[in-house]
Amino acid sequence: MYVPVLEHTTYIKPVLSALEVFSKVENYEAATTSFTYGGLIFTSQRAVEAFASALDHLSSAANSGSTREKSTLLCLEHLTIPLYAVGPATALSLNHIKESFLPKCRISGGEDAGTGEILAEVILKDYNDSYTESTADGSTEKASGRVKKPLLFLTGAKHRDIIPVTLTTAPSKQRIDVQEMIVYASNEAPNFASNLTAALRASAAAPFRWFVVFSPTGVDQLLSALGRLRDKSIISIGPESSKPVFRHTFIASIGPTTRDFMKKKLGFEVDVCAEKPSPEGVRGGIEDYMRKHVAQP
């Protein structure tokens, strides 16, 4: 059963403003050099959805005969910049946009970068490598005549700063400027508490039930609602032990970012943290936990 914790509001105007430079480009082959940014960073599917909404807006306007939007879309088809994504789900969503609007761009990170910390390290190497060239003796040096452009970080109103901090405080030669753009905001869904109550009641007779948390943004709302509902079976049991656990409600997180947020900010320790931030990773973690630590009824 899926219970939405948050509702999201997207902002496409900032994205459209960033892409407006393409409306004045006559030579589409010069799209990459004309663009203000050297790459885009996405750490959530919500940011990808906001970006997609802006591109859909351009497409609709172009289909209505707007030459400015047609020019922008043609430039995007010739754009060759990296698209950095956290986790496989964000990368998959981004790939749909790439196929439709950005065929010459490449996606980096994804499954190999399940957290912001890992993606930041991926970006430092990948992006800096694109601005260096090999010399005859096998060493590398800065590519002549090329100025390292900033990266555009499309994000929500509430977000962690690990990526911009890591990139902007790196050693001088590796340092990368990052400009943040707020493209969505998240708030607690108006019917969340009542929907959660219904889910608790519907699953009350189940031998076991799991709450799977997908984002740090919704964790405080979730635990707050659980507190209001006074469901005393929702407890943290601390470090795993080899002894069977006699309770029927458990909590899993999609990845270490959400797990660490719950532990450090809220003092709550989850039962399972997926090794890979994907539905398959969550399922594998739950099955492994149940097999090792839970007494079957």
Side-chain angles (χ1 to χ4, degrees), residues 2 12-13 21 96 107-108 138 217 248 264:
Y2 175 64
I12 68 170
K13 286 186 178 180
V21 63
H96 296 318
I107 298 175
S108 294
T217 307
H248 90 306
K264 295 177 181 178

Side-chain angles (χ1 to χ4, degrees), residues 122-137:
V122 169
I123 294 172
L124 280 174
K125 183 179 187 310
D126 180 83
Y127 196 61
N128 281 306
D129 283 352
S130 70
Y131 278 91
T132 58
E133 55 188 15
S134 299
T135 60
D137 61 1

Side-chain angles (χ1 to χ4, degrees), residues 175-192:
R175 195 169 301 158
I176 303 170
D177 185 26
V178 179
Q179 295 186 21
E180 299 182 17
M181 177 181 288
I182 305 302
V183 295
Y184 72 94
S186 301
N187 296 290
E188 182 176 332
N191 299 322
F192 169 63

Side-chain angles (χ1 to χ4, degrees), residues 4 41 80 88 98 111 139 147 149 185 214 242 270 273 284 287 291:
I41 303 173
T80 57
K98 176 186 180 304
E111 188 171 353
S139 62
V147 176
K149 292 183 178 182
F214 290 88
S242 59
V270 300
C273 175
E287 290 177 343
R291 184 169 55 254

Side-chain angles (χ1 to χ4, degrees), residues 23 55-56 65 118 160-161 173 184 206 209 214 264-265:
S23 65
L55 297 181
D56 287 338
I118 297 175
R160 300 174 69 224
D161 62 0
K173 290 185 178 181
Y184 72 94
R209 60 183 178 183
F214 290 88
K264 295 177 181 178
K265 300 294 184 180

Side-chain angles (χ1 to χ4, degrees), residues 54-252:
L55 297 181
D56 287 338
H57 174 85
L58 291 173
S59 183
S60 296
N63 291 335
S64 298
S66 172
T67 56
R68 287 171 58 88
E69 279 71 14
K70 285 182 179 179
S71 176
T72 297
L73 291 175
L74 285 171
C75 283
L76 290 175
E77 290 180 3
H78 289 81
L79 192 63
T80 57
I81 61 172
L83 309 173
Y84 297 108
V86 164
T90 302
L92 180 60
S93 298
L94 195 55
N95 189 60
H96 296 318
I97 295 177
K98 176 186 180 304
E99 292 178 348
S100 300
F101 296 99
L102 303 161
K104 294 186 177 182
C105 291
R106 59 182 177 85
I107 298 175
S108 294
E111 188 171 353
D112 296 326
T115 66
E117 289 87 346
I118 297 175
L119 183 63
E121 296 302 323
V122 169
I123 294 172
L124 280 174
K125 183 179 187 310
D126 180 83
Y127 196 61
N128 281 306
D129 283 352
S130 70
Y131 278 91
T132 58
E133 55 188 15
S134 299
T135 60
D137 61 1
S139 62
T140 59
E141 61 182 20
K142 182 178 178 181
S144 58
R146 296 187 62 196
V147 176
K148 190 187 298 183
K149 292 183 178 182
L151 295 175
L152 180 62
F153 180 20
L154 292 89
T155 186
K158 298 178 181 178
H159 62 276
R160 300 174 69 224
D161 62 0
I162 184 65
I163 291 178
V165 167
T166 300
L167 301 185
T168 57
T169 60
S172 58
K173 290 185 178 181
Q174 283 76 43
R175 195 169 301 158
I176 303 170
D177 185 26
V178 179
Q179 295 186 21
E180 299 182 17
M181 177 181 288
I182 305 302
V183 295
Y184 72 94
S186 301
N187 296 290
E188 182 176 332
N191 299 322
F192 169 63
S194 59
N195 289 339
L196 181 58
T197 301
L200 287 168
R201 289 173 178 168
S203 61
F208 304 105
R209 60 183 178 183
W210 283 83
F211 286 93
V212 182
V213 184
F214 290 88
S215 167
T217 307
V219 166
D220 48 353
Q221 289 96 328
L222 172 63
L223 295 183
S224 175
L226 290 173
R228 289 199 301 267
L229 295 169
R230 301 184 185 280
D231 183 7
K232 297 184 183 300
S233 64
I234 305 292
I235 59 174
S236 173
I237 63 171
E240 293 181 352
S241 71
S242 59
K243 297 180 180 180
V245 177
F246 294 93
R247 60 188 172 96
H248 90 306
T249 303
F250 306 87
I251 293 183

